[in-house]
Amino acid sequence: MKILCTVKRVTDPEVKLKIGADQKSIATDNLKYVLNPFDEIAVEEAIRLRDKHQGEVIVVSVGPSDVSTQLRTALAMGADRAIQIVHAGELDSDGVARLLQKVYEQEKPDVVLMGKLSVDNDSWQAGPLLAEYLGLPQATYASKNDSLESDNEKNKVPGITIEGTTATVVREADGGIETLKVQLPAVITTDLRLNIPRYPSLPNIMKAKKKEIKEHTPQSLGVDVTPKVRVLKFELPPARKAGVKVADSAELLAKLRSEAKVIS
Amino acid sequence: MIGFELSDDQKALQETARKFARNEMWPKAPHHDKTSEFPHEIMKKAFEAGLMNLSIPQDLGGPGFAILDQCIITEEIAYGCVGMGTSMMANDLALTPIILAGTPEQKQRFVKPFAEKLKYASFGLTEPGHGSDAAGMETRIEKKGDHYLLNGSKCWITNGGVADQLTVFCTIDRKLGPKGICAIVVDKNMPGVSVGKHEDKMGQRASETVVLNFEDVKIPFDRLLGKEGEGFKIAMQTLDRTRPLVAISGVGVARAALEHAVKYSKERKQFGQPISGFQGIQFMLADMAADVEASRLLTWESAWMIDAGKPASMYSSFAKRVSTDTAMKVTTDAVQVFGGYGYVKEYPVEKLMRDAKLLQIYEGTNQIQRVVIARELLKQF
């Protein structure tokens, strides 16, 4: 089984962000980058599926040349090889999906695994757009019935079940859990409770150096990535207001009803 | 040329270790500090992530990291919890004498299994009556037919209770002083080996520290490292290699204390403003930060010297002395920044202060480090 797994570098959620002087970007000096946590889950799932069904895991990323750091992390976790689309300029989800479409057409994987969102831009778009451009079925927000404390999780059993050319995906929906069957090839995006990603072990970090990273550019893939989404302005969220103390549960209920309006 | 930029590999190692420290060690540290329970689960995870046995060479199935790489990893581990870190590093301390002085057969037999599966090894040098004066040790071996007989006891043995294998230093003739010392590899299941009391320590309580007793333990000759009488040299060469790791542990502890102090100083308000606005606090934080940086660089330099094969005794003693004194000072000042809250166990900094104290004592007290430094210094002029 061939699994294509997308990874994105995002600003380290532990680092405090500053808005750039133009107010349309994030100041990049002294920024630290990490692998998008949702993509880490996708990589973990891809490795588990590969270990169960044999085959290979190919990780792909779009970004400046130093995105290779995050690709190496995915390779150290256990991916087999990597593709890097070098692009330093602006990029929106649509551009990413169109680039990934080309990679898909070259690699012809059986399944595409992607994080459901990236924690920096929070757009949730790239997965569904890719499925649409490829005309493939999609299952978003893949989760699983087992808890993250279960023996299945400890034994690294994949949460997505694949039998023949059908994938069964448990997904989190508003009211509860929904089970989908999708025909492969398909695009599946991963949610938080699908698995606990492994640490790239130190010996594997050293071994990952020897794995292949193939480079492309938007030009070499023949994709125009001029953004269709324009950023007008970044603003910091308003400072949190101090909480209030309530005397008893009656007052709490009244406030939840009349002020917060979260219950009726 | 001097460069301080880490390689991409080193950054990746650092990132994994940092993440492990933050996610796995830090949240569990208060529990193990309070209960003194051995962190079996964390050790298991650390082994799987390759954060243990850093010095086992590649031909024996380990990662064979240079001392500088080990320092980069160990700083993060110590930042997470230096007590757990001490237990994680104990294998390297116990296996280094075998890696340095063992025959190829001994390395296969006594080192390689540690790269394959989680096992513990302990290093036994200190005795109840002989700490800094290690060469005066009383634990002895004598030849009896086709084996040695080992008698005596060793104290402050990290992981001694959970250990499978022990590297023990003992004398074959006390009159010979350091020249009578031998290094042997003991299987803990051998008849006559027993674990004595578990120490109830002030700090680093997640690490296990015990007394080991040996009573007529039969040691086959093929468990001797090097020749009879080479044990002291092997012990000193081992400690020369591991000293930067104790030093960098001090940097990790100090960095954790500094971070807590900076964050707290911005939250805590007195006289209508955060205490970080007061110069008295700012000067303390500034000194703490500068000391952490200076200690790290000195430690990296000593590690680099060892990796480059240069004589490094004096530099690794510089590093151990400066970094662990820094850890003590910075953690003490962090408690001061926290005021009364710093002195209670609800807040994290008093643990760091208790943990730091041990770093000034073990693997050569800071007074012994000064002796080493002075001895080298006086030879130079």
Side-chain angles (χ1 to χ4, degrees):
Chain A
M1 176 176 302
K2 200 167 179 180
I3 305 163
L4 183 69
C5 186
T6 63
V7 299
K8 183 184 178 184
R9 76 164 196 189
V10 295
T11 50
D12 186 345
E14 307 263 341
V15 173
K16 229 190 218 171
L17 293 182
K18 281 189 207 124
I19 294 170
D22 61 358
Q23 292 206 311
K24 290 179 183 176
S25 60
I26 302 294
T28 52
D29 43 319
N30 288 325
L31 264 192
K32 251 199 81 214
Y33 296 96
V34 295
L35 194 57
N36 176 34
F38 288 90
D39 295 343
E40 247 180 329
I41 292 167
V43 174
E44 174 66 34
E45 194 64 15
I47 293 166
R48 292 182 187 190
L49 286 168
R50 189 252 345 252
D51 291 347
K52 188 172 171 192
H53 300 281
Q54 269 87 52
E56 65 168 344
V57 175
I58 309 148
V59 282
V60 55
S61 188
V62 189
S65 58
D66 50 356
V67 166
S68 57
T69 309
Q70 280 68 42
L71 283 171
R72 293 273 176 222
T73 304
L75 291 170
M77 284 173 75
D80 298 283
R81 60 188 170 93
I83 298 168
Q84 179 178 9
I85 305 166
V86 183
H87 175 71
E90 270 184 70
L91 195 66
D92 61 13
S93 303
D94 180 71
V96 172
R98 287 176 193 280
L99 290 167
L100 292 175
Q101 183 188 357
K102 293 290 174 191
V103 173
Y104 177 90
E105 284 161 2
Q106 285 181 2
E107 293 289 343
K108 299 265 185 295
D110 298 294
V111 60
V112 183
L113 286 177
M114 306 172 74
K116 74 167 179 183
L117 63 89
S118 64
V119 296
D120 51 359
N121 289 339
D122 241 18
S123 306
W124 312 52
Q125 296 295 309
L129 282 172
L130 175 64
E132 181 63 26
Y133 295 153
L134 290 169
L136 292 182
Q138 58 175 305
T140 49
Y141 323 150
S143 185
K144 67 175 165 191
N145 288 320
D146 292 322
S147 90
L148 292 178
E149 307 284 317
S150 66
D151 285 344
N152 273 350
E153 175 56 33
K154 284 196 181 105
N155 296 325
K156 304 202 187 298
V157 175
I160 297 171
T161 316
I162 293 180
E163 278 161 342
T165 55
T166 312
T168 308
V169 178
V170 173
R171 72 193 290 273
E172 292 180 18
D174 280 347
I177 292 279
E178 188 177 45
T179 305
L180 295 181
K181 276 191 194 304
V182 284
Q183 189 67 32
L184 297 181
V187 175
I188 302 173
T189 71
T190 55
D191 211 330
L192 272 186
R193 279 160 292 277
L194 179 58
N195 62 45
I196 303 171
R198 70 195 63 194
Y199 291 95
S201 84
L202 304 195
N204 285 345
I205 290 173
M206 305 310 284
K207 283 179 203 147
K209 276 192 297 193
K210 298 194 185 95
K211 293 184 180 172
E212 178 199 50
I213 298 184
K214 195 167 152 195
E215 284 193 12
H216 288 295
T217 60
Q219 291 73 31
S220 74
L221 292 171
V223 178
D224 177 9
V225 290
T226 312
K228 295 182 174 128
V229 175
R230 209 149 36 97
V231 174
L232 298 180
K233 199 179 171 195
F234 276 114
E235 266 174 276
L236 288 173
R240 243 175 84 179
K241 284 184 204 141
V244 284
K245 274 190 183 159
V246 290
D248 50 28
S249 52
E251 193 190 341
L252 174 67
L253 284 173
K255 279 190 187 291
L256 288 175
R257 254 184 217 115
S258 62
E259 288 179 27
K261 297 195 167 101
V262 290
I263 54 171
S264 53
Chain B
M1 277 296 282
I2 292 178
F4 297 105
E5 179 80 30
L6 300 184
S7 72
D8 284 351
D9 287 340
Q10 289 167 333
K11 282 184 204 161
L13 298 174
Q14 184 182 50
E15 195 177 307
T16 291
R18 184 170 295 175
K19 213 168 153 183
F20 187 88
R22 222 184 248 167
N23 298 346
E24 308 291 340
M25 301 173 77
W26 184 254
K28 300 276 165 61
H31 171 79
H32 292 281
D33 176 54
K34 193 174 168 201
T35 60
S36 215
E37 229 170 72
F38 190 75
H40 286 287
E41 271 302 303
I42 288 160
M43 301 295 275
K44 206 171 136 234
K45 285 185 185 172
F47 176 80
E48 279 165 15
L51 291 163
M52 285 177 64
N53 307 310
L54 304 177
S55 61
I56 296 182
Q58 287 178 355
D59 58 359
L60 295 172
F65 285 123
I67 301 286
L68 180 56
D69 295 344
Q70 293 185 38
C71 280
I72 290 163
I73 297 159
T74 303
E75 178 182 332
E76 305 306 322
I77 299 299
Y79 170 91
C81 173
V82 72
M84 294 176 193
T86 292
S87 273
M88 281 165 70
M89 286 192 288
N91 277 8
D92 286 312
L93 180 61
L95 299 178
T96 297
I98 311 169
I99 293 165
L100 290 176
T103 62
E105 190 269 331
Q106 287 176 324
K107 290 181 199 180
Q108 290 289 329
R109 199 168 144 210
F110 301 131
V111 178
K112 204 171 177 204
F114 287 82
E116 288 160 356
K117 152 167 187 285
L118 176 59
K119 285 159 73 83
Y120 299 103
S122 293
F123 179 87
L125 178 67
T126 303
E127 297 180 359
H130 300 274
S132 295
D133 175 23
M137 67 177 64
E138 291 168 52
T139 298
R140 62 202 178 277
I141 47 170
E142 53 182 319
K143 271 187 189 153
K144 274 273 159 75
D146 65 346
H147 59 265
Y148 298 109
L149 267 191
L150 171 68
N151 279 287
S153 58
K154 294 283 172 185
C155 62
W156 318 129
I157 308 303
T158 301
N159 295 359
V162 293
D164 306 283
Q165 177 178 297
L166 318 163
T167 305
V168 176
F169 296 86
C170 45
T171 177
I172 195 152
D173 184 353
R174 281 197 78 197
K175 289 197 292 295
L176 294 174
K179 295 211 158 57
I181 291 176
C182 305
I184 55 172
V185 182
V186 179
D187 183 332
K188 221 195 61 209
N189 293 319
M190 286 175 164
V193 181
S194 62
V195 179
K197 79 164 169 178
H198 285 63
E199 304 294 347
D200 186 9
K201 301 195 299 297
M202 166 184 176
Q204 302 207 14
R205 291 170 57 80
S207 81
E208 181 190 63
T209 312
V210 303
V211 172
L212 288 175
N213 298 311
F214 307 102
E215 205 183 325
D216 286 337
V217 185
K218 276 189 187 176
I219 308 288
F221 290 141
D222 63 1
R223 287 178 168 267
L224 175 75
L225 298 174
K227 296 196 189 82
E228 286 176 6
E230 286 183 354
F232 195 71
K233 195 179 81 190
I234 295 170
M236 292 307 118
Q237 284 173 343
T238 297
L239 294 173
D240 274 348
R241 291 186 71 78
T242 54
R243 207 169 288 127
L245 299 164
V246 180
I248 207 74
S249 297
V251 176
V253 175
R255 195 182 97 207
L258 169 65
E259 258 185 49
H260 284 299
V262 170
K263 282 184 189 153
Y264 183 79
S265 73
K266 288 159 83 172
E267 285 163 14
R268 171 77 173 165
K269 284 189 183 140
Q270 289 291 283
F271 307 102
Q273 60 162 305
I275 60 170
S276 59
F278 299 116
Q279 221 171 40
I281 297 291
Q282 288 175 357
F283 281 8
M284 283 171 79
L285 297 176
D287 286 348
M288 289 156 84
D291 288 349
V292 169
E293 290 296 317
S295 299
R296 181 186 296 114
L297 289 185
L298 192 52
T299 305
W300 280 6
E301 188 183 10
S302 73
W304 172 81
M305 289 178 83
I306 293 171
D307 290 334
K310 296 175 189 297
S313 285
M314 182 158 85
Y315 276 77
S316 62
S317 288
F318 283 162
K320 204 264 177 184
R321 203 287 286 165
V322 170
S323 300
T324 60
D325 283 352
T326 290
M328 196 67 244
K329 179 168 184 298
V330 168
T331 54
T332 307
D333 286 350
V335 170
Q336 193 69 25
V337 170
F338 272 71
Y341 295 104
Y343 200 69
V344 295
K345 296 197 177 190
E346 201 183 330
Y347 288 80
V349 285
E350 60 83 34
K351 169 188 182 282
L352 299 175
M353 184 175 165
R354 287 184 285 110
D355 285 352
K357 187 66 216 173
L358 184 50
L359 296 170
Q360 293 180 306
I361 298 170
Y362 70 19
E363 287 199 49
T365 63
N366 285 8
Q367 286 65 39
I368 284 292
Q369 305 306 330
R370 289 176 174 92
V371 170
V372 172
I373 294 165
R375 203 179 280 155
E376 292 288 323
L377 195 63
L378 292 167
K379 267 193 246 168
Q380 284 180 5
F381 297 97

